[in-house]
Amino acid sequence: MFEIKAKDGKGRVGVLKTKHGDVKTPALMPVIHPRKQALDVSKYGADIVITNAYLIYKDPELKQKAIDEGLHKLINFDGPIMTDSGSFQLSVYGDVEITNKEVIEFQEMIKTDIGTSLDIPTAPFVDRQQAESDMEITIERAREAIDYKKEQNMEMLLNSVVQGSTFLDLRRECAKELSALDADLYPIGAVVPLMESYHYRDLVDVVMNSMKELSDTVPRHLMGAGHPMIFALCVAMGCDLFDSAAYILYAEDDRLLSTRGTFKLENLQEMPCSCEVCTKYTPDDLRAMPKEKRRDLIAQHNLHVSFAELRLIRQAIYDGNLMELVEERCRAHPALLEAQRQLGNYSADLEKYDPRSKKSAFFYTGPESLCRPEVLRHMQKLREMPKKRDLLILPPTKKPYSKFISGKLGEFYIYGAEQELDLENTDFMVLDIPFGLIPLEIDEVYPLSQNDAPKTRDVDSIEFIEDFITEFVEYYEQVLIHSRIIKDLEIGLYNKCSFEDIRYQKDDVKKVKAIADYQFGVGAGDALFKGNIIIEKSKKTGKIRHIYDGKVLIVNMRASDSYLILSKEGAKRLHNAMPYPQNRVVVNKDSEPFALDGKSVFCKFVVECDEDIRAKDEVLIVNEQDKLLAYGKALLGACEIEQFETGQAIKTRKGMRK
Ligand code: GUN
Ligand code: ZN
């Protein structure tokens, strides 16, 4: 009932299927009050709404009508409807006059599309005992609801809400226990107080820790989040659904939502956007209106900016620049900037989900960009790469660096024990932001060329470079540092290098071997490129296109990101050389003939896979005896392939039978 169409990091565009139609996610569900709704929210972009089953249950007239005619008729909305259970009333009034079982039964009776069990929203920063005992009740009720739904053969989808207050281990525990149950959606609850008090940093901790244990196959809903300012951040953490009464509550209070924050009508000289309301009326017009009309117009504006933001977020996911949007949005308020910095501490979690290559370039928007998954990934890969005796570090040129570096390279200073120069035994790297050291052989590989940063460096970048160099000089006997960068560095003593004619010798074979090692793991380069290596380049661009052993094609190089695409021979060589489970996706016996014929691999047939596989990787498809069946491109990361039971995992390029 939930299918992922596109992804960027932990953010995804998906389709949630319900009896009343499909919903494209990330989506916002406007809160509909069963009695007070004045606005037709579907007119302003809502595909799904949320209302409160408990409020209906408590109101004899509404209750009867809902039972007789159904919920959709009652609130006059024929798309999908989610209902909440009264937990919010429980958290405000301390009590509700309904049991968990009753509210589940009632939601099914009025034909909601998605119902919710009666969780206990535990406020942030309470004592641990309270959080623990509330959580246990919440989990128990989720279990009861799921069992009851199965027993009664109910049709509605079911929410199980993650609680645990601000205790991160409790959030993880709760998410883990709920994931073992069979709920259809996982809301993250009790975050409204964090958002209202601008505790966005704690919000990041709560959401990221809940996400750690929640299945990726299930939609995740951030309950009560309705300010468009935080949508991008929350989508980047993996949230698929938002709901809120903010659009109407803020309107009641003459406040206009925007991705830059909230505007009070009393302070407005100008209307803040280009929606129908903002282009038709001036602030004075609105101020002069009767309260109710003004409220509805502001609510209309509020919905407009919220849905516009979600469209922008979905497009950013398609384009692969969601983090750039997050970085932009998180400059709207210092508390959001703090939240983004906190998200940087979860870079390793995000990296597992980040595709290896994207349509968009990586943009450095500030020091926070240095904590992005791509940077972490490059550092880890670089640590694993084989190293020569010496390292030579160059200042950046235009990209790709290797294209613009030629002739005499200039003056160098030496760090470390001075020895004879041996350029054959020297790694050449460029020092730049945001990727630190970039070996010249692999500089065209995504995102090492496909990025942009200001030439003038901020202090964080300088410190980042210093730390990077301090680590990497340790791996070499002698380090030569170009005179133009020496002044930025505080790493010790240097002597000027007396030899002045240092040049970079381009070598295409070395280049493709280094790319193979970086892409497939150390050793892949030597294994792939042996024999009579012939490298064919594009006449137009001069870029490497095809690599042969004599007449046999081994790999193609993709122009956009310089990753290597295996041929049949390339796949065989890689498979022979790299030990199990590197680069492999293992499929079960039943799907073996399909793989051999070159059919794509579905997640449910995968029994195991190399945990280092990321979306867009070129992979080997093998059986359980490690026989090579086919090769292709991963559409998801390893952790997703292992969890998903529907959808494609690998787009097969060719089966070995053909
Ligand atoms: N609405 C906002 N927060 C919550 C929550 O924690 N649980 C439920 N059921 N509804 C909410
Ligand atoms: Zn507007």
Side-chain angles (χ1 to χ4, degrees):
M1 40 76 56
F2 184 59
E3 206 180 308
I4 292 175
K5 297 287 186 193
K7 53 184 238 89
D8 186 11
K10 262 182 105 78
R12 57 260 186 101
V13 172
V15 177
L16 170 63
K17 299 197 166 91
T18 76
K19 280 181 300 181
H20 285 86
D22 294 354
V23 180
K24 200 187 253 186
T25 65
L28 171 67
M29 304 177 283
V31 174
I32 305 289
H33 192 285
R35 257 206 195 282
K36 289 193 278 193
Q37 192 64 18
L39 225 53
D40 178 6
V41 293
S42 61
K43 240 171 69 188
Y44 306 113
D47 298 325
I48 177 170
V49 299
I50 181 167
T51 189
N52 194 308
Y54 180 62
L55 293 183
I56 299 170
Y57 182 85
K58 281 267 287 173
D59 182 321
E61 190 191 341
L62 293 178
K63 183 178 180 181
Q64 199 53 51
K65 195 163 177 224
I67 292 172
D68 293 345
E69 300 176 3
L71 177 63
H72 291 77
K73 202 70 174 276
L74 178 76
I75 64 165
N76 192 26
F77 185 80
D78 56 16
I81 303 175
M82 182 186 282
T83 41
D84 203 351
S85 54
S87 296
F88 187 68
Q89 286 68 26
L90 179 69
S91 71
V92 176
Y93 307 112
D95 200 10
V96 282
E97 295 156 32
I98 196 164
T99 66
N100 184 43
K101 238 172 155 167
E102 281 164 352
V103 80
I104 293 296
E105 192 170 34
F106 180 64
Q107 289 174 97
E108 172 74 5
M109 198 190 298
I110 62 176
K111 299 200 163 55
T112 188
D113 292 281
I114 306 164
T116 309
S117 49
L118 193 65
D119 59 300
I120 301 186
T122 315
F125 315 116
V126 297
D127 69 65
R128 190 178 167 96
Q129 220 175 355
Q130 164 103 53
E132 253 174 54
S133 64
D134 284 357
M135 183 187 87
E136 269 153 34
I137 299 171
T138 293
I139 295 171
E140 202 32 58
R141 288 182 183 171
R143 187 174 292 126
E144 182 184 50
I146 289 166
D147 289 347
Y148 193 43
K149 176 187 153 170
K150 281 188 185 156
E151 188 189 301
Q152 301 285 318
N153 248 327
M154 292 182 181
E155 273 195 79
M156 67 176 176
L157 302 172
L158 207 52
N159 275 323
S160 290
V161 188
V162 180
Q163 298 291 352
S165 182
T166 28
F167 296 96
L168 305 182
D169 61 321
L170 293 187
R171 287 282 179 177
R172 291 196 299 274
E173 187 186 331
C174 189
K176 195 169 181 175
E177 295 223 17
L178 293 180
S179 280
L181 308 175
D182 234 353
D184 303 296
L185 300 95
Y186 292 107
I188 297 172
V191 291
V192 172
L194 291 176
M195 296 186 286
E196 282 176 348
S197 57
Y198 283 66
H199 279 83
Y200 296 130
R201 180 195 154 119
D202 296 296
L203 178 72
V204 166
D205 284 334
V206 162
V207 172
M208 287 305 290
N209 279 278
S210 304
M211 287 296 174
K212 251 186 229 237
E213 298 293 343
L214 285 179
S215 162
D216 291 308
T217 64
V218 172
R220 297 161 309 205
H221 165 193
L222 195 63
M223 279 194 141
H227 201 303
M229 180 169 78
I230 64 161
F231 287 170
L233 174 68
C234 297
V235 169
M237 294 194 285
C239 298
D240 306 295
L241 293 166
F242 301 95
D243 79 88
S244 179
Y247 76 98
I248 190 74
L249 295 178
Y250 279 59
E252 302 254 12
D253 204 19
D254 285 337
R255 287 185 296 167
L256 286 78
L257 297 174
S258 104
T259 52
R260 299 198 60 208
T262 310
F263 299 108
K264 283 192 174 142
L265 180 61
E266 65 187 58
N267 298 330
L268 280 185
Q269 251 80 260
E270 305 287 345
M271 294 304 286
C273 89
S274 51
C275 78
E276 241 182 280
V277 176
C278 289
T279 46
K280 192 163 171 196
Y281 303 100
T282 66
D284 281 336
D285 293 340
L286 286 180
R287 283 187 282 258
M289 274 175 200
K291 166 89 190 161
E292 221 162 81
K293 185 171 180 203
R294 181 167 74 234
R295 179 200 64 197
D296 288 353
L297 287 170
I298 297 175
Q300 189 184 329
H301 157 89
N302 288 345
L303 286 172
H304 174 89
V305 295
S306 301
F307 289 119
E309 179 68 356
L310 287 168
R311 289 195 297 274
L312 199 66
I313 289 169
R314 292 195 297 263
Q315 185 62 42
I317 293 172
Y318 287 122
D319 289 341
N321 57 22
L322 179 61
M323 281 315 278
E324 277 80 1
L325 181 61
V326 172
E327 291 176 352
E328 202 180 315
R329 291 297 183 243
C330 286
R331 276 164 178 70
H333 193 282
L336 279 173
L337 184 57
E338 192 172 14
Q340 196 208 324
R341 288 181 181 164
Q342 187 64 0
L343 187 61
N345 294 327
Y346 294 93
S347 210
D349 289 348
L350 298 176
E351 191 279 326
K352 293 194 179 81
Y353 293 87
D354 212 33
R356 193 78 66 187
S357 173
K358 302 181 187 184
K359 269 196 256 171
S360 296
F362 178 116
F363 281 0
Y364 178 94
T365 69
E368 292 76 22
S369 304
L370 296 170
C371 298
R372 280 178 49 180
E374 292 93 328
V375 178
L376 182 75
R377 176 184 286 168
H378 173 65
M379 269 179 100
Q380 284 167 347
K381 282 262 176 197
L382 202 58
R383 287 191 185 110
E384 292 163 13
M385 290 287 276
K387 291 170 189 69
K388 302 218 168 108
R389 191 194 73 185
D390 295 348
L391 169 65
L392 181 142
I393 304 176
L394 291 161
T397 58
K398 254 174 81 168
K399 295 185 203 78
Y401 313 113
S402 57
K403 191 170 168 185
F404 296 95
I405 286 171
S406 63
K408 274 194 197 178
L409 295 179
E411 277 184 356
F412 287 85
Y413 288 78
I414 295 176
Y415 173 85
E418 198 168 340
Q419 306 190 33
E420 285 277 296
L421 279 190
D422 177 4
L423 295 183
E424 274 300 303
N425 202 4
T426 301
D427 283 328
F428 283 68
M429 300 195 195
V430 168
L431 184 65
D432 205 355
I433 287 296
F435 290 104
L437 288 168
I438 302 107
L440 278 182
E441 282 92 9
I442 60 166
D443 73 327
E444 288 177 68
V445 172
Y446 188 93
L448 306 175
S449 269
Q450 299 80 347
N451 68 80
D452 218 340
K455 305 277 170 293
T456 44
R457 294 200 180 130
D458 48 67
V459 287
D460 291 70
S461 295
I462 293 169
E463 201 175 302
F464 170 81
I465 282 180
E466 258 170 33
D467 289 350
F468 213 113
I469 299 229
T470 306
E471 178 186 337
F472 275 79
V473 293
E474 292 302 314
Y475 305 146
Y476 293 90
E477 284 185 23
Q478 170 173 265
V479 181
L480 292 111
I481 303 176
H482 194 275
S483 59
R484 238 186 306 139
I485 43 182
I486 204 94
K487 63 180 187 314
D488 285 348
L489 302 172
E490 283 179 36
I491 55 164
L493 296 169
Y494 316 94
N495 288 320
K496 197 163 165 184
C497 175
S498 53
F499 189 71
E500 286 183 354
D501 191 14
I502 297 177
R503 291 163 190 264
Y504 173 57
Q505 205 65 48
K506 281 182 199 170
D507 182 329
D508 287 335
V509 174
K510 278 190 190 154
K511 176 177 172 138
V512 295
K513 283 187 177 181
I515 291 176
D517 281 356
Y518 190 75
Q519 179 176 352
F520 297 114
V522 176
D526 283 336
L528 283 170
F529 305 115
K530 56 188 182 210
N532 177 22
I533 296 302
I534 296 166
I535 295 179
E536 216 174 86
K537 296 186 180 180
S538 157
K539 286 205 182 71
K540 222 166 93 188
T541 62
K543 285 180 118 178
I544 296 172
R545 295 302 306 278
H546 313 289
I547 304 156
Y548 300 87
D549 175 0
K551 284 192 173 139
V552 183
L553 180 70
I554 309 168
V555 297
N556 295 312
M557 188 185 279
R558 189 160 45 216
S560 58
D561 60 14
S562 289
Y563 278 109
L564 304 174
I565 298 169
L566 298 166
S567 71
K568 199 167 176 177
E569 177 62 21
K572 277 190 208 161
R573 289 182 181 197
L574 191 69
H575 180 252
N576 274 334
M578 305 304 278
Y580 181 89
Q582 277 193 64
N583 305 297
R584 284 155 173 89
V585 172
V586 185
V587 297
N588 68 15
K589 204 157 180 349
D590 291 346
S591 69
E592 222 171 280
F594 299 98
L596 274 172
D597 282 340
K599 300 276 193 314
S600 279
V601 174
F602 287 83
C603 292
K604 64 169 177 263
F605 301 127
V606 177
V607 289
E608 213 181 325
C609 77
D610 175 0
E611 63 175 36
D612 291 331
I613 288 173
R614 300 289 178 266
K616 303 284 166 70
D617 270 346
E618 297 297 318
V619 298
L620 305 170
I621 300 159
V622 299
N623 71 5
E624 288 179 80
Q625 288 71 47
D626 197 26
K627 182 183 148 199
L628 181 62
L629 306 172
Y631 54 96
K633 181 170 82 170
L635 301 176
L636 299 166
C639 58
E640 296 160 300
I641 294 174
E642 280 177 4
Q643 293 178 52
F644 278 78
E645 267 159 24
T646 58
Q648 280 187 18
I650 316 295
K651 190 170 186 298
T652 304
R653 292 194 186 277
K654 213 169 228 170
M656 300 311 278
R657 184 134 64 200
K658 288 197 177 149

